Structures are given as structure tokens and as C-alpha cells.
């Protein structure tokens, strides 16, 4: 009898270890949902029901008054949310100093990260999380900022600028000129480094607010801004044919600079964005998260493959949606080694309804490649 109990206990322990191992190597898979803030609450509810029907388990969306109903409704339907938090929220001067729209790069004004105000940010974030706390909503993750290493979402970059890519050394020199009050030789690098440094304070403020006002989210991961991988950095806006050099800060340099100044004490993962990429590019991008002491990658945007060759009714045979299906399949295979090493925590396809949409309203369904993109990745 004792031997049987020991054997039974051992089997239970092994089973628990296997379950934990499986859980540890299962990635959070979901899809970006665009434009929620422009929908009425009934329309948001209908969208949630559609997402649930189509098997979506996690969405990436915004955080703010116009998103609260959607996030809450989704949670009550078993759908979690990775929320994008604007680091300029609560800033008294961000809108006044925003860089004007400059098509084709942006059709919107872009706030300067250096105008972020940690105390104002805390005052804005607290009531947002308090409302979700009252609604019993546990978020999947908070991603602070979006593509801050690119001029498309960081007004500290000059547009069109001089077309150069700023590296780690440029940022370090710019930061020292700003902090040590040395003569500023490179104004653009100094302004960008200043913005990144203030951003670290915003990350700390986010952690502090979560701990203070949202017990249900105290273990919710905080993710650094999704960083655009090198091949996806934009071209100068004054060069619409995109023949000039890319400009911005490569993802590796962005994360390296932030890590040198305390990023790992403030986040649980590094946000990465990769579009239209080859497996080799993905290997290089996610290698940012390899190495002792580094946080796992959260691939909060990937895909964006154009919707071509789609006709109604949607079919799921081998001849349907071939190009996108093969691309999605190939990229998922490239991601699996990072999953097994626990270097990849999330893969959020872009998107449900914009930029390579997987849901086709005219066909009232999800494409074959889309179903694969949002299926479990282990």
C-alpha cells in the first residue's frame, strides 16, 4: 500500500510538472483589432460576439474611455486583452508640441516622447485601471507605447530628417549631452535619447499605479513599446518612392539602450513588431530576447500580408488562400524554437479588420490563413 501511494504521488507530480511545462511553452496567441474606439457600444458588443464565435481568445486594442466597454465585454466573453497605453497620456503639453502630420509617413500629428509627464501619466492611468478593477477585468498585458523607435509614433524624430539610422552609440552620446549638460553636437540624437530616458520613468509609473489601484492586475505583465524591426523602419516622408535610406532606431539598439538604463527592472517583456519578413529576419529580430537575464519577446504585431485571391464563399481546401497560408505557416515554424526556449511569450497577428485583414465581411468569415494565424502555437 505505501509503495502504491508513493507511485501515485510520483505520477501526480510528474503530471503536474508536464502540465506546467506545457503551460510555460504555450504562447499567448491573438489578433489586433483596429478602430474599436469608433464603434458604438452595441457595435462593440456585436464585434465581441463575432470574435468569440470565430475562436479569438486574445485581442490587442487601446486603453482609455473609448475602449473600456469593449475590453470589459470581451473579458466577459472569455476574450483577454493586450492593451496599448499611450505614454503621452496625461501630458499637459504633448498636443501643443506635436509634430504636424507629414504624409505619406503620417496623416496624424505625432506627439514627442520627450513631452511625456510621469505624474500626469499616473493621474490618467489610475482611473482607467480603477474602472477595469470594478468591472473585475484582468488584462492579459499592458504594452506601454507603440513603435517608439520610429518617427511614425515618436515626434522627437525630425521629419524628413537626414535619412540616417541612429544606433546605440548615437543614443548614448545624445543622452550624456543631455544629462551631463555637455555641448549638444547632435540635437536630434539628444532629443530622442531624452525621450527614451523619460519613457523609462513612464514605465516605472505604470508599475506603481498597477500596484496601487488594481489588485486584480498586480501580476499582469507590463511590456515595452512594440519596436519596429530594422527592415520595417520607414523611409523619409519627402521621398514618396521610398528610395532613400530608412530612418529611426533599430529595434536591437532601442532595447539595448533602454536596458542599459534600467528597462529590465520595469518590464516583463520586450515588444517587437515584424512585417512581411523572411524567417531569417525573424530569427534576427527575436534574438534580441535571447541571452541570460533578458526578458522574453512579445510579438505584438506580425503579418499584415495583403488579402489576395480571396473569393466568397471562403473555402478551406488546399487551393484556397495559398500564398498567405504558406507565409503564415512558414513564420509560425520559425517562431517555434523561440517558444520552446521560452523566449517568445506572445504572437498577435495584424490584423482582424485592417492591413491584411483575416476577417472578410463580404464573405462573413475568417480566411484559411487567418484561422492558422490565431490557432495555438506550442
Amino acid at each position: 500500500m505505501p509503495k502504491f501511494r508513493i507511485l501515485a504521488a510520483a505520477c501526480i507530480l510528474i503530471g503536474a510538472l508536464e502540465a506546467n511545462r506545457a503551460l510555460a511553452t504555450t504562447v499567448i496567441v491573438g489578433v489586433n483589432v483596429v478602430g474599436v474606439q469608433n464603434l458604438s457600444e452595441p457595435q462593440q458588443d456585436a464585434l465581441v460576439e463575432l470574435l468569440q464565435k470565430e475562436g479569438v481568445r486574445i485581442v490587442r486594442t487601446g486603453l482609455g474611455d473609448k475602449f473600456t466597454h469593449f475590453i470589459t465585454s470581451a473579458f466577459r466573453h472569455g476574450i483577454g486583452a493586450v492593451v496599448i497605453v499611450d505614454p503621452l497620456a496625461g501630458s499637459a503639453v504633448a498636443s501643443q508640441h506635436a509634430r504636424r502630420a507629414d504624409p505619406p509617413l503620417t496623416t496624424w500629428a505625432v506627439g514627442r516622447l520627450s513631452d511625456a509627464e510621469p505624474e500626469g501619466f499616473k493621474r490618467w492611468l489610475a482611473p482607467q485601471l480603477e474602472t477595469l478593477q470594478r468591472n473585475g477585468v484582468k488584462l492579459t498585458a499592458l504594452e506601454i507605447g507603440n513603435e517608439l523607435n520610429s518617427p511614425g509614433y515618436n515626434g522627437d524624430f525630425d521629419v524628413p530628417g537626414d535619412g540616417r539610422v541612429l544606433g546605440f552609440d548615437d543614443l548614448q552620446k545624445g543622452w550624456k549631452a543631455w544629462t551631463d549638460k555637455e555641448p549638444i553636437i547632435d540635437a536630434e540624437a539628444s532629443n530622442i535619447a531624452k525621450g527614451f530616458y523619460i519613457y523609462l520613468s513612464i514605465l516605472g509609473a505604470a508599475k506603481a499605479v498597477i500596484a496601487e489601484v488594481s489588485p486584480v492586475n498586480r501580476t499582469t505583465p507590463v511590456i515595452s513599446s512594440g519596436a519596429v524591426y530594422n527592415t520595417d523602419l520607414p523611409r523619409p516622408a519627402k521621398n514618396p518612392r521610398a528610395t532613400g535610406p530608412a530612418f529611426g532606431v533599430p529595434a536591437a539598439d532601442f532595447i539595448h539602450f533602454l536596458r542599459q538604463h534600467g528597462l529590465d527592472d520595469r518590464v516583463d517583456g520586450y515588444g517587437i513588431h515584424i512585417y512581411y519578413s523572411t524567417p531569417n529576419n525573424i530569427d534576427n529580430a527575436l534574438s534580441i530576447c535571447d541571452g541570460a537575464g533578458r526578458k522574453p519577446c512579445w510579438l505584438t504585431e506580425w503579418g499584415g500580408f495583403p488579402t489576395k485571391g480571396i473569393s466568397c464563399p471562403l473555402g478551406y481546401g488546399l487551393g484556397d488562400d495559398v500564398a498567405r497560408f504558406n507565409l503564415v505557416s512558414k513564420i509560425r515554424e520559425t517562431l517555434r524554437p523561440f517558444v520552446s526556449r521560452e523566449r517568445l511569450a506572445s504572437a498577435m497577428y495584424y490584423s482582424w479588420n485592417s492591413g491584411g485583414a483575416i476577417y472578410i465581411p463580404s464573405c462573413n468569415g475568417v480566411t484559411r490563413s487567418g484561422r492558422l494565424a490565431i490557432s495555438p502555437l506550442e
Side-chain angles (χ1 to χ4, degrees):
M1 189 67 167
K3 288 183 178 179
F4 174 78
R5 286 177 179 169
I6 291 171
L7 180 60
C11 289
I12 291 170
L13 178 59
I14 291 170
L17 289 172
E18 289 299 321
N20 286 337
R21 187 177 295 114
L23 182 62
T25 56
T26 300
V27 168
I28 295 168
V29 174
V31 66
N32 285 261
V33 180
V34 179
V36 167
Q37 70 275 22
N38 300 321
L39 302 178
S40 66
E41 290 189 358
Q43 288 173 323
Q44 291 180 10
D45 290 336
L47 175 57
V48 166
E49 290 178 4
L50 177 60
L51 291 164
Q52 182 188 47
K53 174 188 170 186
E54 298 293 353
V56 174
R57 301 299 302 273
I58 305 290
V59 295
R60 180 172 177 259
T61 186
L63 180 70
D65 296 341
K66 294 182 178 180
F67 297 94
T68 300
H69 180 85
F70 175 72
I71 294 167
T72 302
S73 178
F75 184 79
R76 290 170 179 170
H77 284 76
I79 301 172
V82 174
V83 296
I84 310 162
V85 186
D86 182 1
L88 290 170
S91 170
V93 298
S95 61
Q96 302 170 28
H97 299 165
R99 194 189 70 219
R100 63 180 177 78
D102 197 345
L105 178 62
T106 66
T107 57
W108 57 88
V110 182
R112 300 177 185 276
L113 187 58
S114 56
D115 280 336
E117 297 177 357
E119 290 305 314
F121 177 80
K122 289 168 72 173
R123 288 192 295 272
W124 177 87
L125 182 60
Q128 302 297 332
L129 294 182
E130 286 170 342
T131 299
L132 294 176
Q133 173 72 28
R134 288 194 298 271
N135 294 345
V137 175
K138 180 173 176 57
L139 297 168
T140 302
L142 291 94
E143 183 178 357
I144 315 300
N146 182 67
E147 300 187 356
L148 297 178
N149 65 319
S150 165
Y153 291 91
N154 184 352
D156 286 328
F157 288 93
D158 294 334
V159 173
D162 56 10
R164 65 185 176 139
V165 173
L166 297 170
F168 173 78
D169 289 342
D170 297 309
L171 295 175
Q172 281 290 85
K173 291 175 184 176
W175 172 72
K176 287 180 179 178
W178 173 62
T179 56
D180 298 343
K181 308 300 182 184
E182 296 178 0
I184 295 177
I185 300 173
D186 188 337
E188 184 175 25
S190 183
N191 286 338
I192 292 167
K194 175 184 177 182
F196 289 168
Y197 197 72
I198 293 173
Y199 172 67
L200 291 167
S201 297
I202 294 293
L203 291 171
K207 283 278 192 179
V209 171
I210 293 168
E212 183 178 342
V213 308
S214 186
V216 74
N217 281 300
R218 279 181 185 158
T219 59
T220 298
V222 171
I223 311 304
S224 64
S225 163
V228 184
Y229 184 58
N230 309 12
T231 54
D232 299 316
L233 287 172
R235 309 290 169 171
K238 298 302 184 185
N239 200 341
R241 293 187 180 276
T243 55
F247 66 136
V249 175
D253 294 86
F254 173 67
I255 292 173
H256 182 37
F257 176 79
L258 293 177
R259 290 189 73 228
Q260 289 297 305
H261 298 283
L263 177 66
D264 290 345
D265 295 330
R266 296 167 171 85
V267 300
D268 304 288
Y270 313 139
I272 300 289
H273 293 175
I274 309 173
Y275 283 98
Y276 322 117
S277 291
T278 64
N280 185 56
N281 284 342
I282 292 172
D283 274 334
N284 291 337
L286 297 186
S287 67
I288 293 168
C289 303
D290 270 331
R294 300 190 183 188
K295 306 292 184 177
C297 280
W298 284 64
L299 190 54
T300 51
E301 291 185 22
W302 72 279
F305 303 120
T307 305
K308 295 180 179 178
I310 303 296
S311 60
C312 304
L314 291 172
Y316 296 96
L318 293 179
D320 296 311
D321 195 21
V322 174
R324 283 211 310 177
F325 184 88
N326 289 342
L327 283 168
V328 169
S329 180
K330 186 180 294 185
I331 288 177
R332 282 168 58 90
E333 286 304 313
T334 306
L335 297 178
R336 282 196 167 89
F338 293 93
V339 177
S340 65
R341 298 199 302 271
E342 298 183 21
R343 295 292 81 206
L344 181 67
S346 175
M348 306 290 293
Y349 193 80
Y350 195 95
S351 74
W352 175 260
N353 54 343
S354 173
I358 64 172
Y359 181 76
I360 312 299
S362 59
C363 298
N364 195 30
V366 174
T367 63
R368 179 169 171 253
S369 58
R371 291 217 178 276
L372 179 61
I374 62 174
S375 64
L377 178 63
E378 300 175 349

